């Protein structure tokens, strides 16, 4: 028969379990907002109802991996939106000689680029067989048609008037790209900054046709060579040059990672939008935004 001692032990054990349960449940603090009938909630501020309802898989029968493909590209577009916001601000700050905040914007852009490049590893989990199940439902849609990506390239100097015609179906996107086509790029604005601060920048570079992609000018390499010869004397400009090189390096890493993922997913098949696919992406690796900042390295 159980004795008093045994009952006391059971009671102590039960009390200990009750104490553990109490510790496991973290009570909501009194000050935490609970009623949102008259207040803004997290979901309302972010528009989560619209955002989370913006994924519309088209595969029939439904394919498990289509949601991955859609979210991968939607999140990329959100990051591109922020990148455009930061790059346009950096360009405007350079135009008003506010170098320090412009560099802060570029530092943020570099972090966005790292995130975009890292995202490719998620899409790389999509095998060729899995992608083949959803590819027919993409029809003629393609990342080639991302107007935000084209806008970023235009801002960085890779201008191409033919790209604007791809967006005739989207008047707002076409208008934005047409504006960026004729405006100075970030690099053009940096050259104007240099000119205002006494650096030797050929006049024809300051008044060039901004609709054309920027081309290497050896005269400007001489100017940057002087900067790199004495960094401490030109620290702000020197730092800006390196920030721009970082930005282009990150962009090339993104391009290369894109190429790798496409290669492992579809091989040498043409793209859904009509491009040659891998061959088209490989040629993009030859593009450069800031040619003098690479050419000057042979002088250092």
């Amino acid at each position: 028969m159980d004795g008093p001692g045994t009952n006391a032990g059971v009671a102590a054990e039960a009390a200990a379990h009750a104490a553990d349960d109490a510790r496991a449940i973290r009570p909501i603090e009194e000050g935490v907002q609970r009623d949102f009938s008259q207040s803004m909630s997290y979901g309302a501020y972010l528009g989560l109802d619209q955002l989370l309802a913006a994924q519309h898989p088209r595969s029939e029968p439904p394919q498990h991996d289509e949601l991955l493909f859609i979210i991968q590209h939607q999140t990329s577009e959100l990051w591109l939106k922020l990148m455009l916001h930061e790059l346009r601000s950096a360009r405007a700050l350079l135009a008003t000689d506010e170098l320090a905040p412009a560099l802060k914007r570029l530092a943020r852009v570099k972090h966005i680029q790292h995130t975009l490049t890292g995202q490719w590893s998620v899409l790389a989990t999509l095998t060729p067989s899995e992608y083949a199940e959803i590819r027919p439902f993409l029809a003629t849609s393609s990342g080639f048609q991302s107007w935000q990506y084209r806008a970023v390239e235009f801002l960085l100097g890779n201008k191409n008037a033919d790209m604007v015609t791809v967006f005739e179906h989207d008047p707002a996107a076409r208008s934005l790209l047409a504006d960026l086509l004729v405006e100075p790029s970030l690099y053009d604005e940096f050259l104007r900054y240099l000119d205002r601060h006494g650096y030797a920048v050929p006049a024809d570079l300051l008044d060039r046709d901004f609709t054309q992609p920027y081309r290497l000018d050896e005269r400007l390499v001489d100017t940057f060579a002087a900067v790199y010869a004495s960094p401490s004397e030109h620290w702000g400009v020197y730092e800006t040059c390196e920030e721009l090189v970082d930005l282009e390096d990150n962009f090339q890493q993104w391009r290369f990672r894109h190429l790798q993922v496409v290669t492992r997913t579809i091989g040498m098949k043409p793209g859904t939008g009509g491009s040659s696919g891998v061959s088209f992406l490989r040629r993009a690796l030859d593009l450069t935004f800031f040619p003098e900042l690479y050419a000057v390295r042979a002088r250092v």
Side-chain angles (χ1 to χ4, degrees):
M1 181 179 290
D2 294 334
T6 302
N7 290 336
V10 171
E13 185 176 355
H17 282 306
D20 287 341
D21 290 341
R23 284 192 293 269
I25 300 174
R26 184 176 65 169
I28 299 177
E29 296 176 354
E30 288 299 319
V32 172
Q33 184 76 28
R34 292 174 172 82
D35 181 5
F36 296 98
S37 58
Q38 302 296 322
S39 303
M40 180 179 290
S41 70
Y42 171 82
Y45 176 72
L46 296 177
L48 288 183
D49 285 348
Q50 297 89 346
L51 184 65
L52 299 180
Q55 294 74 48
H56 306 291
R58 297 172 181 268
S59 56
E60 188 59 46
Q63 297 298 318
H64 174 82
D65 297 299
E66 190 175 6
L67 187 62
L68 159 63
F69 191 84
I70 292 172
I71 289 178
Q72 168 87 23
H73 290 83
Q74 287 183 338
T75 53
S76 294
E77 290 295 332
L78 286 173
W79 285 121
L80 286 170
K81 181 175 183 176
L82 182 58
M83 190 186 297
L84 280 172
H85 177 67
E86 301 296 341
L87 286 173
R88 295 179 88 172
S89 177
R91 185 181 62 172
L93 289 165
L94 283 175
T96 55
D97 292 340
E98 298 175 83
L99 186 62
L103 293 179
K104 178 65 167 64
R105 302 290 192 271
L106 296 185
R108 182 173 293 164
V109 168
K110 292 194 299 182
H111 285 290
I112 297 169
Q113 289 179 302
H114 289 314
T115 299
L116 281 166
T117 300
Q119 283 188 186
W120 286 119
S121 64
V122 184
L123 195 62
T125 64
L126 193 66
T127 69
S129 300
E130 291 164 345
Y131 180 57
E133 296 295 331
I134 63 175
R135 194 180 195 218
F137 301 96
L138 303 182
T140 55
S141 65
S142 166
F144 181 85
Q145 299 145 18
S146 169
W147 65 264
Q148 291 197 118
Y149 175 81
R150 296 303 164 199
V152 167
E153 285 210 321
F154 279 19
L155 270 168
L156 294 178
N158 184 23
K159 304 288 188 75
N160 185 341
D162 287 342
M163 288 295 181
V164 179
T165 64
V166 175
F167 301 94
E168 295 290 350
H169 67 287
D170 187 340
R174 188 195 184 287
S175 177
L176 183 141
L177 289 172
D179 288 344
L180 289 175
L181 183 69
V182 300
E183 293 171 0
S185 69
L186 178 72
Y187 194 51
D188 289 317
E189 208 59 76
F190 179 46
L191 298 186
R192 290 176 167 186
Y193 172 90
L194 292 176
D195 178 65
R196 289 193 300 273
H197 289 263
Y199 290 86
V201 179
D204 54 307
L205 294 184
L206 301 172
D207 192 31
R208 70 185 192 87
D209 180 0
F210 296 128
T211 67
Q212 299 302 308
Y214 186 85
R215 303 300 184 196
L216 173 70
D217 192 302
E218 288 292 341
R219 296 169 296 174
L220 196 56
V221 179
D222 295 337
T223 299
F224 286 127
V227 170
Y228 276 80
S230 301
S232 61
E233 295 178 22
H234 310 277
W235 188 259
V237 170
Y238 175 74
E239 183 182 12
T240 306
C241 291
E242 287 300 289
E243 286 290 306
L244 292 174
V245 170
D246 285 346
L247 194 152
E248 175 154 344
D249 187 33
N250 290 342
F251 208 98
Q252 289 289 54
Q253 290 183 49
W254 183 91
R255 283 171 170 161
F256 182 67
R257 193 72 183 98
H258 184 193
L259 171 64
Q260 286 182 305
V261 172
V262 172
T263 301
R264 68 180 287 166
T265 306
I266 68 169
M268 300 306 292
K269 291 179 182 177
T272 50
S275 76
S276 58
V278 167
S279 298
F280 176 81
L281 296 176
R282 187 173 288 124
R283 288 196 299 273
L285 294 175
D286 294 328
L287 299 174
T288 182
F289 300 123
F290 320 122
E292 291 87 3
L293 298 184
Y294 284 89
V296 74
R297 278 150 166 75
R299 305 274 195 93
V300 177

